Amino acid sequence: MLGQALRGAFNRYSTLLETRPVATRSVTAFCVVSSGDLVAQCITHRPRNYRHAAGMGMYGACLIAPIGYGFFNLLRRIVPPSSSPLKRALKKLALDLTIWQPSFSYAFWLYNGLVLGDGGVTNMEQAIWRANALFLPTLINAYCFWPFANFITFYCIPFKFRLLWRKSVSFSWNTFLCWYNSKHGHSPLFLYPPPSFFFSTSSFSSLPTPLSPLSSSSSPATPSSPPVPPAQSPTIK
């Protein structure tokens, strides 16, 4: 009985993936990302914040799911089907690691600060400063986690189930991101903006710059006169 119910639910879900691909993937992404945020709140012993979890779920539903659907379709078109399955999987994996992972490692923190206000962010410039600081550690962890999972995605999983597989695997990844945000992302903003990896809204020309030794004096130094040798007393012969 339970097996038949699960099989019927799976068949219904497969039908929805065919008839309503974007909406079905968006609902799936909302459930996965929001539940990952709730698990992270439990791990870090923070009070339950369902509004924050819903905001993280909207990140998955409005950004990850529709853009991911288009990205997977793009990979199917630009990678030639004439090559072997292994070569196709490796090419798609390389594109995923060079395009998708950097973009969404940055977009996660930009959305998190600008929309949810984590880290005390109140404007776009502060959100960019915060994303610049947290982008590189997130990308390094992504490169440790996603290559093996995405190789299975591109080599073994049929296309219509790839986002479902990625969302199942990314439950652990999203839980890690939400935990990392809970541990490190709520700290106050930096006094000075960190180095910009992608872009910045200001040249930060107002920051103090050290003076060079030549500019430490307001008036040019006057050359000193050579020392006068002491007068010698006449010698008596």
Side-chain angles (χ1 to χ4, degrees), residues 68-110:
Y69 177 69
F71 182 72
F72 282 136
N73 275 315
L74 179 64
L75 291 182
R76 283 207 306 175
R77 294 176 183 177
I78 63 178
V79 177
S82 57
S83 57
S84 65
L86 179 59
K87 289 183 178 179
R88 289 200 305 269
L90 292 176
K91 290 178 181 178
K92 292 177 181 179
L93 179 61
L95 291 172
D96 177 87
L97 294 177
T98 54
I99 299 175
W100 179 272
Q101 297 302 333
S103 301
F104 275 84
S105 294
Y106 196 86
F108 174 83
W109 297 113
L110 198 62

Side-chain angles (χ1 to χ4, degrees), residues 1-20:
M1 182 68 68
L2 180 61
Q4 292 180 353
L6 292 176
R7 194 178 305 111
F10 181 78
N11 292 334
R12 175 61 178 165
Y13 185 79
S14 301
T15 303
L16 289 174
L17 286 174
E18 295 288 346
T19 57
R20 298 182 178 180

